[in-house]
Amino acid sequence: AQRVTQPEKLLSVFKGAPVELKCNYSYSGSPELFWYVQYSRQRLQLLLRHISRESIKGFTADLNKGETSFHLKKPFAQEEDSAMYYCAPLDSGGSNYKLTFGKGTLLTVNP
Amino acid sequence: EPEVTQTPSHQVTQMGQEVILRCVPISNHLYFYWYRQILGQKVEFLVSFYNNEISEKSEIFDDQFSVERPDGSNFTLKIRSTKLEDSAMYFCASRVTGGTEAFFGQGTRLTVV
């Protein structure tokens, strides 16, 4: 069965500290992986995807196929990064492209 | 910037009643989805819809659920006879052909009492 694990339900750091949100996946084939973010009272929105290898809002995520991980990192957290973060592999079987979400990690960045 | 919109933002209904949750996907998107999130749990896929038919549905999407695109802009999720365990946040999403990014609505909180 396809599965994604975000082991930390809550993560609290101070402003300026590095942050790493962990994600491990168990998937057949080579899924496309995403991080979605939900700021307070806002909708789920795409933060970044592994194929673009880009940095968004200072966040990066490297796909490690050997460890089946896709951890999200930022070297210096900001208060506005406080949000719920979801790791989500994309199941591209057929053309449905449905997402399988992890349970999410609530990141709190303290001043 | 175009957005997926959902109405209502909050719906309270009595057990056994029918509810219809409404979504207006982004106008040039052709793939539509419903997800739900029970409080404290993860976001779960319910159903995907393309070309006026269901393309995939999860085990959660039983006979009590149905989806429809009644016109060129709306995409609805109907729960025929609500149960307490249907209480959740329901998210609509849409995707453009050839794209992989799903654009989400702000959600409808359904409370079944």
Side-chain angles (χ1 to χ4, degrees), chain B residues 43-80:
Chain B
V43 179
E44 301 172 290
F45 168 78
L46 289 178
V47 66
S48 57
F49 189 88
Y50 171 72
N51 199 27
N52 280 322
E53 60 183 28
I54 291 173
S55 43
E56 187 174 350
K57 59 184 180 180
S58 71
E59 292 176 354
I60 303 166
F61 195 88
D62 61 23
D63 292 342
Q64 293 297 314
F65 291 88
S66 62
V67 289
E68 195 179 26
R69 187 150 163 85
D71 53 43
S73 59
N74 289 282
F75 178 53
T76 61
L77 174 69
K78 183 194 289 187
I79 308 175
R80 221 178 315 279

Side-chain angles (χ1 to χ4, degrees), chain A residues 60-80:
Chain A
T60 58
D62 289 322
L63 178 61
N64 185 321
K65 291 185 179 180
E67 295 180 359
T68 59
S69 68
F70 188 53
H71 302 327
L72 183 68
K73 299 177 185 179
K74 185 169 182 176
F76 307 103
Q78 303 300 313
E79 288 178 67
E80 56 265 29

Side-chain angles (χ1 to χ4, degrees), chain A residues 22-74:
Chain A
K22 293 185 167 55
C23 171
N24 288 89
Y25 65 93
S26 171
Y27 247 69
S28 57
S30 297
E32 184 173 350
L33 284 134
F34 296 83
W35 278 97
Y36 275 80
V37 62
Q38 188 173 29
Y39 300 101
S40 179
R41 301 182 191 280
Q42 295 187 29
R43 65 192 66 210
L44 277 162
Q45 55 187 282
L46 178 65
L47 179 63
L48 55 78
R49 67 188 91 186
H50 88 270
I51 58 168
S52 58
R53 302 183 68 81
E54 56 192 344
S55 171
I56 303 292
K57 299 184 180 183
F59 284 97
T60 58
D62 289 322
L63 178 61
N64 185 321
K65 291 185 179 180
E67 295 180 359
T68 59
S69 68
F70 188 53
H71 302 327
L72 183 68
K73 299 177 185 179
K74 185 169 182 176

